[in-house]
Amino acid sequence: MLGLALAVWVGTRVAYAAFTYFHVSFFPTPAVPLCGTGPGCFAPGLVGRWVHWDSGWFQTIALQGYWSPGITGFYPLYPLLIKAATLLGGGAHVREEALVIANLADLAALWGVALLARRELGERAPVAAALAVVAYPFAYFLVAGYSESVFLALAVFAIYFARERLWAAAAAAAALASLTRPLGLALFLPLVWEWARQARGGPLTVRALGSGFLAAAAVPAGTGVWLGYCWWRWGQPLAPLHSEALWNRHPAAPWSALHLAFAALVAAPRYSYTQGILVADLGCVLLLLVVTLVAARRLPVALTLFSLGVLAISVSGVEPAGDPIPSAGRYALVAFPPLMALGAWGARLPWLQASWLIGGTLAQAALLTQFMAWNWTG
C-alpha cells in the first residue's frame, strides 16, 4: 500500500509543481502582504504560492511561540513540528520546512487511506480511494503549509489502529490529532464506539478495560493538554474557543449554520466571488454529507460517526456577513470516509470515477488559481 500511495503522491506533486510554475510565470507576487506578519506572507516565487494566509501564522508561532491567547486557535502540533525541523535545519528555511512536513504528512495520509480502504472496502478500493481524496476540490490544502495533512494522517491511522485492535497506537494517534486541530473532537465517539463493539459479548478483562480507558481518554487527554497550557500560560483554559470570536466567528448549531449559508447564497450577487466560495463550501459539505449517509450501510459505524462529527464541527462557526460558513470546504477535507466510499463506487462504475476525478480536479484548479493569487479560498 505504501508503494501505491507513493505513486499517487509523486504524480500529484508533479502536477502541482507544473501548475505552480505556470502560475508564477503569469501572475506576479502582490506588493502588500495579506496575512499578518508571518514569514510566509512575504515569500515570492514557487514556495510563496503555498505558504501564505494561515501558513504564515503557523510559521510565526514556530519561530516565536504563542505570545497571545488570541492565536491559540492555531493548535500546537504542526508549529512544534516546524520548530523541530528548523532546529535540525538551522532555521534558515522555515517556509520550505513547513511545506516538507505538510507533504510528508500527506503521503502518510494517503497510505493510511489506502490501508483502510483495502481493509473495509476490498482489494479494488485502495487506488480509487486515494485518487478520490486528491481530487477533492480543496485537497490542495494537503500540500500547502497548513495543518490539514498532519491531522488527516493521524485521524486515519487512529481509526485504522482501532479497527485492528491496536489500542495504544490508536490512542496515541488520536491524542496527537487533538493537539493538531479542534476537529480532533470528532474522533472521540468513533473510538468509544469501536471499543464497545469489540468488547460486546466478551468478558471485561483487565486488558479490555485498559483498551476502553485508552479509547475514552485519548481525545480528552490531547485536548486537555492544550487547554491546560492555555490555563497555565494566561489563566484562560477556553482561550482556543474564545479566539474564534477575534476572527469574527461565533458558535452555531450545524442546521442553523447551513440555513444561514443557503440564505447568504440566495442573497449574494450573482457570479460574485462571495457566491463562488459559498457554492464551493456549501456544495462540498452537502456532497460529503449525502455520501456519508448513503454509504453508512456499507462503512463501519466508527467511520460514519467520524465523518458526521467532522462535518458538524466544520459548519459550527459562523460569520455574520459574507460567507457564513468560512473555510467549511477546507475543514471538511479531512472527512475521508465518504471520499473512500466515492472511490470504491468509482472502481465499479467508471463513469462515476471519471466524473469525480475530472469535476473535482477542475474545481480544484479554479480554487487553487485563486489561492495562489493570495485570494481567500478557505
Side-chain angles (χ1 to χ4, degrees):
M1 290 298 103
L2 180 57
L4 179 156
L6 184 61
V8 174
W9 184 85
V10 170
T12 51
R13 295 326 94 158
V14 171
Y16 283 127
F19 192 96
T20 307
Y21 173 80
F22 285 108
H23 196 281
V24 170
S25 300
F26 290 110
F27 299 98
T29 303
V32 179
L34 301 175
C35 55
T37 59
C41 301
F42 302 92
L46 298 175
V47 172
R49 296 301 198 237
W50 292 98
V51 289
H52 49 80
W53 291 112
D54 284 7
S55 182
W57 289 105
F58 284 121
Q59 295 166 60
T60 304
I61 292 168
L63 294 176
Q64 302 177 14
Y66 287 91
W67 64 88
S68 165
I71 59 171
T72 54
F74 297 101
Y75 275 42
L77 183 61
Y78 183 50
L80 283 173
L81 293 174
I82 298 173
K83 179 65 174 181
T86 60
L87 293 175
L88 292 174
H93 305 286
V94 64
R95 294 188 297 270
E96 290 79 359
E97 288 153 351
L99 282 181
V100 168
I101 291 168
N103 280 267
L104 289 178
D106 187 26
L107 173 59
L110 292 174
W111 182 26
V113 166
L115 285 170
L116 197 56
R118 182 178 64 177
R119 187 189 191 285
E120 308 296 350
L121 298 171
E123 293 294 332
R124 298 177 59 187
V127 175
L131 290 175
V133 169
V134 298
Y136 181 75
F138 289 92
Y140 57 89
F141 281 108
L142 298 174
V143 183
Y146 280 60
S147 60
E148 266 71 17
S149 58
V150 176
F151 178 85
L152 178 59
L154 291 168
V156 170
F157 276 104
I159 295 178
Y160 176 77
F161 288 141
R163 295 285 291 169
E164 291 287 327
R165 300 172 182 262
L166 301 172
W167 284 104
L176 290 173
S178 300
L179 284 167
T180 308
R181 295 193 61 77
L183 290 167
L185 295 172
L187 284 167
F188 178 74
L189 283 180
L191 294 189
V192 172
W193 175 278
E194 188 58 30
W195 174 81
R197 184 192 67 82
Q198 294 176 14
R200 185 175 52 201
L204 289 179
T205 63
V206 172
R207 182 174 182 177
L209 290 173
S211 299
F213 173 78
L214 290 175
V219 171
T223 304
V225 166
W226 183 226
L227 299 184
Y229 170 82
C230 295
W231 193 1
W232 169 79
R233 181 74 169 78
W234 296 288
Q236 301 181 34
L238 299 181
L241 179 62
H242 296 157
S243 70
E244 293 297 312
L246 298 178
W247 305 94
N248 202 29
R249 296 186 181 184
H250 307 282
W255 48 89
S256 299
L258 291 176
H259 179 267
L260 289 173
F262 276 112
L265 183 62
V266 172
R270 184 174 296 182
Y271 308 124
S272 64
Y273 191 80
T274 298
Q275 187 184 59
I277 294 299
L278 256 172
V279 168
D281 281 334
L282 189 57
C284 284
V285 169
L286 291 179
L287 173 65
L288 294 178
L289 176 60
V290 170
V291 174
T292 296
L293 296 176
V294 173
R297 295 179 60 184
R298 176 74 188 277
L299 290 175
V301 173
L303 290 175
T304 300
L305 289 174
F306 174 72
S307 182
L308 292 175
V310 167
L311 294 175
I313 297 172
S314 295
V315 296
S316 63
V318 300
E319 289 188 7
D323 182 354
I325 51 171
S327 305
R330 167 167 67 93
Y331 297 161
L333 162 63
V334 299
F336 65 90
L339 297 176
M340 280 175 42
L342 272 175
W345 297 341
R348 299 192 303 270
L349 302 170
W351 65 267
L352 178 60
Q353 185 176 59
S355 298
W356 175 250
L357 294 180
I358 295 172
T361 301
L362 289 176
Q364 185 175 163
L367 289 166
L368 183 54
T369 298
Q370 295 299 321
F371 176 78
M372 286 189 172
W374 280 266
N375 293 318
W376 177 259
T377 62

